[in-house]
């Protein structure tokens, strides 16, 4: 058998294997039921925002396009009899358009900490309700305002009573997660009906899709028993089509279809009153809820049908392009394979595994980044991670075919050059690759350990990095190149992996695989003859600072009792401090300034600036800005670790 024929056979098997893999990934579930073709949802959450729009722009004068609302409601009238709005300001034309297309409405007013904006919302809702009595089924005074701690229960009841006086003939309600009706029983007597949200994916203990419908039924039954004198309606339920897995709860288009079709069938058979979330994917929600927040729609952000109610559903509708991309990537092996004059091909299974696994991992991860990235920072992060993973994979394939491998990088040696402490050497680019490889995993690990609720598991890039380092560690003298920076980075990865595992549990397959890979990489870094000179003193300082930030956050910023206190007397010093702290966190002032401090610390090599950067990164990690906080902390660690390495070497 000549060499050319062997290569053709090798890549024919690769072509068929990749094709079968992506075919199986795109195959729909056998658990999908078929609904009647003319089935209509009772009510459907609707926000008239395009993929580049946001309700946060309404106070600045933005108004949704009437033309867009016309098109949207014409489409929605085919699948629902009613829409639920969450705000009234800026949507004054919506009731008129709803009437045109034969739709009823659950008309909402957005209740927020801003009393002036809330009053404007309520006044607008009251005026719209009076003008459109024929189509307004209910008015909803606030949505999850108690969950967000935007107002106290007493404030909320006051708003509800105001609306009831203005609209005595209307059904008035408030909508929140079912638990918050139990936490604030004083709210139920003020409403005409109790509107509960049951979202199995978002539960504190997430529910897998196979148990989600039973969970919804059980919660509804429980609430009927707890509040027997009020009508119980479901104001929100649904399932996301994209995003990160939470314990056993996995977002996917197939799971969204399983839940949606099953819920509609169950609700109609049970005679339940409900509103489903939601009509269209809302990319703006990804800013506060992570990638998953933008993918709850029955239609995507471009208004294309995701076929959740009817028809064929695939988790990878672009599987053909993913197959083409992964096969094209696998051809990188030809750079060396074609040049082999003759071979017995005993190593062919290793070559195949590396080319198949790497091309799939890179393609899958690139597709995931394309879905979840929402701003320039995240696109830059995706490009960085994919570039690092590709170069490492390229080196691994070359090593397996030619047995040539260069992985001589040192984190400290890179900092020598950046801080002008030493001249650039021939290993500089190896140092850069090594530093970036370790650093991107540190950012992933810290982000998920501290603030991982909304962050995805980047298994593709992490898998390649961990695999390459494991092969390098076994095959070369990599251990001898590890210094204090590598050893401490390994320790940080171990602790982060433990934190993620404890938070996610072994039910989360993504988390479990992620933890294993992080431990593998951490082990290759930890194995080092280096001593940890001065590191424990530094860590002690950071632990004390972190505990102080936790006390500040839990005791002042998120403590529920302060909501009622500050609602009664906002002039109190503690209340004014909470307001300032809230703005600092929301506008991410610490994160933006922390990036500047971190960059200066790297360029100057200042231990003090490095520690300040890590502290600022910790603040972000502990106050809902985890991704940026992790970047700042890792940049600060470059300098701090480098300076400790110097002391250790002395």
């Amino acid at each position: 058998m000549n060499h050319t024929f062997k290569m053709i056979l090798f890549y024919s098997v690769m072509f068929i294997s990749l094709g079968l893999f992506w075919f199986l990934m795109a195959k729909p579930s056998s658990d999908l039921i078929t609904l009647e073709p003319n089935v209509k949802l009772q009510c459907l959450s609707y926000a008239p925002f395009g993929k580049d729009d946001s309700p946060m722009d309404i106070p600045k004068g933005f108004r949704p396009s009437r033309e867009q609302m016309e098109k949207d409601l014409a489409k929605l009238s085919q699948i629902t009899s009613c829409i639920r709005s969450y705000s009234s300001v800026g949507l004054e034309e919506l009731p008129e358009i709803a009437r045109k297309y034969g739709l009823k409405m659950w008309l909402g007013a957005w209740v927020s900490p801003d009393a002036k904006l809330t009053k404007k919302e309520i006044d607008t809702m009251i005026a719209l309700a009076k003008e459109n009595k024929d189509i307004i089924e209910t008015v909803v005074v606030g949505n999850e305002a108690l969950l967000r701690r935007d107002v106290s229960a007493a404030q909320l009841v006051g708003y509800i009573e105001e609306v009831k006086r203005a609209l005595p003939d209307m059904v008035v309600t408030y909508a929140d997660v079912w638990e918050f009706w139990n936490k604030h029983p004083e709210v139920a007597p003020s409403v005409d009906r109790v509107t509960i949200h049951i979202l199995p994916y978002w539960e504190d203990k997430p529910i897998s899709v196979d148990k989600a419908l039973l969970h919804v039924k059980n919660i509804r039954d429980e609430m009927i028993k707890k509040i027997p004198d009020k009508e119980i309606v479901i104001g929100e339920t649904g399932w996301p089509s994209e995003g990160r897995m939470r314990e056993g709860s996995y977002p996917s288009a197939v799971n969204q279809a399983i839940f949606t079709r099953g819920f509609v069938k169950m609700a109609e058979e049970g005679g339940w009153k409900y509103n489903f979330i939601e009509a269209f994917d809302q990319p703006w929600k990804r800013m506060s809820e992570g990638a998953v927040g933008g993918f709850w729609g029955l239609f995507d952000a471009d208004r294309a049908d995701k076929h959740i109610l009817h028809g064929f559903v695939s988790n990878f509708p672009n599987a053909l392009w993913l197959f083409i991309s992964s096969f094209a990537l696998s051809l990188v092996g030809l750079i060396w394979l074609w040049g082999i004059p003759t071979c017995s091909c005993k190593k062919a299974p290793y070559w195949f595994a590396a080319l198949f696994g790497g091309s799939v991992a890179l393609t899958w991860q690139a597709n995931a980044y394309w879905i979840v990235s929402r701003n320039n920072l995240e696109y830059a992060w995706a490009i960085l991670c994919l570039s690092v993973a590709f170069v490492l994979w390229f080196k691994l394939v070359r090593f397996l075919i030619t047995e040539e491998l260069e992985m001589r990088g040192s984190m400290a040696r890179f900092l020598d050059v950046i801080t002008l402490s030493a001249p650039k050497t021939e290993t500089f680019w190896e140092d850069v690759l090594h530093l970036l490889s370790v650093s991107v995993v540190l950012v992933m690990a810290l982000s998920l350990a501290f603030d991982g609720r909304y962050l995805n598991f980047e298994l593709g890039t992490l898998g390649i990095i961990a695999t390459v380092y494991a092969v390098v560690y076994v095959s070369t003298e990599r251990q001898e190149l590890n210094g204090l920076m590598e050893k401490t980075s390994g320790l940080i990865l171990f602790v982060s992996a433990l934190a993620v595992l404890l938070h996610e549990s072994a039910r989360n397959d993504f988390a479990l695989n992620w933890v294993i890979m992080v431990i593998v990489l951490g082990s290759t870094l930890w194995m080092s003859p280096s001593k940890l000179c001065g590191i424990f003193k530094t860590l002690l300082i950071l632990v004390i600072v972190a505990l102080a930030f936790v006390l500040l956050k839990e005791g002042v910023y998120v403590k529920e009792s302060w909501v009622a206190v500050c609602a009664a007397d906002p002039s109190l010093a503690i209340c004014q401090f909470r307001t300032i702290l809230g703005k600092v966190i929301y506008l991410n002032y610490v994160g933006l300034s922390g990036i500047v401090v971190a960059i200066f610390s790297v360029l100057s090599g200042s231990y003090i600036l490095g520690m300040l950067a890590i502290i600022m990164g910790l603040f972000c990690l502990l106050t809902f800005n985890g991704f940026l906080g992790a970047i700042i902390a890792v940049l600060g660690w470059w300098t701090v670790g480098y300076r400790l390495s110097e002391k250790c070497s002395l």
Side-chain angles (χ1 to χ4, degrees), residues 454-474:
Y454 303 121
L455 299 176
N456 286 32
F457 294 95
E458 299 166 57
L459 292 179
T461 47
L462 174 60
I464 290 174
I465 294 171
T467 300
V468 171
Y469 269 80
V471 171
V472 168
Y473 183 81
V474 171

Side-chain angles (χ1 to χ4, degrees), residues 342-626:
T342 181
C343 68
S344 63
C345 298
K346 291 180 179 179
K347 293 184 178 180
Y350 298 105
W351 303 343
F352 186 90
L355 288 167
F356 180 93
S359 62
V360 167
L362 285 168
T363 307
W364 178 86
Q365 189 64 70
N367 183 61
Y369 281 138
W370 178 256
I371 291 169
V372 305
S373 298
R374 63 192 188 278
N375 55 44
N376 290 335
L377 173 63
E378 292 187 357
Y379 282 117
W381 171 257
I383 292 169
L384 172 64
C385 290
L386 289 171
S387 299
V388 168
F390 177 80
V391 173
L392 287 175
W393 175 61
F394 192 84
K395 284 177 170 287
L396 176 64
V397 172
R398 179 187 177 193
F399 169 66
L400 292 175
I401 297 174
T402 68
E403 298 186 356
E404 296 178 18
L405 183 64
E406 291 183 353
M407 286 287 287
R408 299 171 293 162
S410 163
M411 296 174 78
R413 198 164 56 212
F414 172 84
L415 269 297
D416 275 336
V417 176
I418 293 299
T419 58
L420 304 179
S421 300
K424 186 176 176 181
T425 67
E426 63 177 7
T427 64
F428 177 74
W429 291 111
E430 289 293 327
D431 297 337
V432 171
L433 179 62
H434 173 58
L435 182 85
L436 291 178
S437 300
V438 175
S439 296
V440 296
V441 180
L442 282 173
V443 170
M444 293 178 195
L446 290 171
S447 301
L448 283 164
F450 278 88
D451 187 30
R453 180 178 174 89
Y454 303 121
L455 299 176
N456 286 32
F457 294 95
E458 299 166 57
L459 292 179
T461 47
L462 174 60
I464 290 174
I465 294 171
T467 300
V468 171
Y469 269 80
V471 171
V472 168
Y473 183 81
V474 171
S475 308
T476 70
E477 298 300 319
R478 171 73 245 176
Q479 177 181 342
E480 300 304 317
L481 292 169
N482 288 343
L484 178 142
M485 291 184 72
E486 285 84 359
K487 193 176 185 76
T488 308
S489 296
L491 177 62
I492 294 169
L493 291 179
F494 292 149
V495 175
S496 297
L498 178 61
V500 171
L501 183 61
L502 291 175
H503 180 71
E504 296 290 336
S505 86
R507 292 179 59 214
N508 188 333
D509 295 336
F510 281 72
L512 193 57
N513 286 308
W514 185 92
V515 165
I516 291 170
M517 292 175 192
V518 167
I519 291 174
V520 168
L521 178 62
S523 299
T524 69
L525 299 173
W526 173 258
M527 298 298 182
S528 164
S530 173
K531 295 180 180 179
L532 298 178
C533 305
I535 192 64
F536 293 108
K537 180 180 177 181
T538 300
L539 289 176
L540 180 61
I541 294 171
L542 295 176
V543 168
I544 292 171
V545 171
L547 288 174
F549 286 155
V550 169
L551 290 173
L552 180 67
K553 173 186 165 186
E554 298 298 328
V556 177
Y557 186 61
V558 301
K559 193 172 182 180
E560 285 194 42
S561 59
W562 288 120
V563 177
V565 171
C566 293
D569 188 359
S571 64
L572 290 173
I574 186 68
C575 299
Q576 294 184 12
F577 177 69
R578 284 184 81 250
T579 301
I580 294 170
L581 183 60
K583 288 181 179 178
V584 167
I585 292 172
Y586 180 74
L587 298 174
N588 205 9
Y589 289 140
V590 176
L592 296 175
S593 55
I595 283 288
V596 176
V597 172
I599 291 172
F600 272 108
S601 78
V602 173
L603 295 177
S604 66
S606 168
Y607 176 87
I608 299 298
L609 284 179
M611 283 294 288
L612 180 59
I614 295 176
I615 289 169
M616 296 174 83
L618 277 174
F619 181 85
C620 294
L621 283 166
L622 291 165
T623 54
F624 319 113
N625 290 302

